[in-house]
Amino acid sequence: MTPGGAPGAGRPIVSFGEPEGYGENVRPRPLGARIRSRTAAAAACVVLGLGLIGGAATGSWLVGEPGDGDARDSFAEAGGLWHSVPVDRLFPPTVAGQGAGPGGADRTWTRIAVAPDSGCTNAFDPLLRKVLAPVGCERLLRATYTDATQSYVTTVGLLFTKADAAAMGSLGTRFTKEGLDRRTDLMPRPYAAKGTVAAGFGQEQRASWTVSVLTDAPVVVFAVSGWADARTVDEPEPAEEAMRSGATSAVAQAGLGHEAQGLADRIERALRKNVSSASEQPS
């Protein structure tokens, strides 16, 4: 299956929660941050031996800052994944979340539905759509998962934007400074799939959520969770608050913050792995 067709002070800039990493307990590395040692060594020799490149420009080239070299290529690669990568690689049928639950408990999520890839007109509440408008909407991919006990449901999404690195950085800064990821009027909408345990997962059932604006890719990663029995939620909580030690709300006690954050983190890692794989393929 291919998801595409023809033709946004929390921590929203990077993934939240305790990361597993690509091995274990290692935070996901920024896209494009991999630097070939031979290239770096050769560049250093040129700089030291000939002194032909200015210090500031040299530093930017060697570390691969956004907009240069490998970082620029990875940014572009990420923007095209919605139509070039099979849906099972972006939203795996089963997602393992080692240590993702309350108290470090393990979690396993099973995908129960994939939404048709679409634009963003009806996918977000009007205010969130307005906040995300500066980066544009190239494509929106969403999938809904349930936990191993089918007690909870979580919709996770990848908004592929039309923005460059500067625009994504500006949006990420705004989310951080204004705390937009914690506002209940900026929650993402769930995808309620008919004939599944998520059939009753509507806007009134949203319990916890997270929004992560990536600055090294034109992508916004989000997730929203709720109970599978379609109960309404009067006071939803952002995942960061619901995951705090000692939190006593019903949302926190149920672990719904961990559901949203844990799944969003792992879908973001899958995205990064796909960019890495695409970047390493011979041209």
Side-chain angles (χ1 to χ4, degrees):
M1 295 173 60
T2 301
R11 290 172 288 170
I13 296 181
V14 296
S15 61
F16 303 125
E18 181 181 356
E20 284 178 352
Y22 294 111
E24 294 298 331
N25 302 316
V26 180
R27 192 170 188 80
R29 293 170 289 181
L31 299 174
R34 304 178 66 180
I35 303 172
R36 296 177 177 83
S37 59
R38 291 183 179 179
T39 301
C45 289
V46 172
V47 173
L48 293 175
L50 300 178
L52 297 177
I53 303 176
T58 302
S60 176
W61 180 44
L62 290 178
V63 302
E65 292 181 352
D68 293 311
D70 288 344
R72 180 176 56 205
D73 293 341
S74 295
F75 191 95
E77 290 281 1
L81 290 182
W82 66 270
H83 63 73
S84 63
V85 174
V87 68
D88 284 353
R89 283 171 53 187
L90 291 175
F91 299 123
T94 302
V95 177
Q98 182 177 0
D106 294 341
R107 279 287 189 267
T108 299
W109 296 281
T110 300
R111 192 185 71 201
I112 55 177
V114 177
D117 63 307
S118 66
C120 299
T121 301
N122 299 313
F124 298 113
D125 288 348
L127 187 55
L128 180 55
R129 187 167 67 245
K130 181 178 180 180
V131 169
L132 296 173
V135 295
C137 174
E138 180 67 28
R139 214 69 174 179
L140 176 64
L141 308 182
R142 294 176 295 168
T144 297
Y145 288 77
T146 187
D147 68 309
T149 66
Q150 297 193 348
S151 299
Y152 314 115
V153 286
T154 303
T155 293
V156 60
L158 297 171
L159 166 60
F160 289 84
T161 76
K162 299 179 179 179
D164 58 15
M168 293 301 293
S170 178
L171 181 64
T173 297
R174 184 182 177 194
F175 263 76
T176 299
K177 288 184 176 181
E178 300 180 25
L180 301 184
D181 59 309
R182 302 192 305 274
R183 287 176 46 168
T184 56
D185 56 353
L186 294 176
M187 283 190 293
R189 286 181 177 176
Y191 174 60
K194 295 180 180 180
T196 72
V197 294
F201 190 23
Q203 297 183 53
E204 299 300 318
Q205 284 71 38
R206 293 177 290 187
S208 190
W209 77 97
T210 180
V211 179
S212 178
V213 180
L214 307 188
T215 57
D216 49 4
V219 181
V220 178
V221 184
F222 63 87
V224 56
S225 64
W227 278 275
D229 61 5
R231 74 183 71 177
T232 59
V233 180
D234 295 328
E235 296 183 7
E237 284 186 303
E240 186 176 6
E241 292 184 10
M243 292 170 62
R244 287 177 179 169
S245 177
T248 59
S249 68
V251 171
Q253 291 294 306
L256 284 163
H258 290 80
E259 295 292 314
Q261 191 63 70
L263 187 54
D265 282 346
R266 284 145 187 88
I267 294 302
E268 181 183 330
R269 291 172 201 159
L271 174 75
R272 293 178 182 278
K273 288 182 181 180
N274 281 303
V275 174
S276 180
S277 297
S279 300
E280 292 173 356
Q281 291 178 359
S283 57

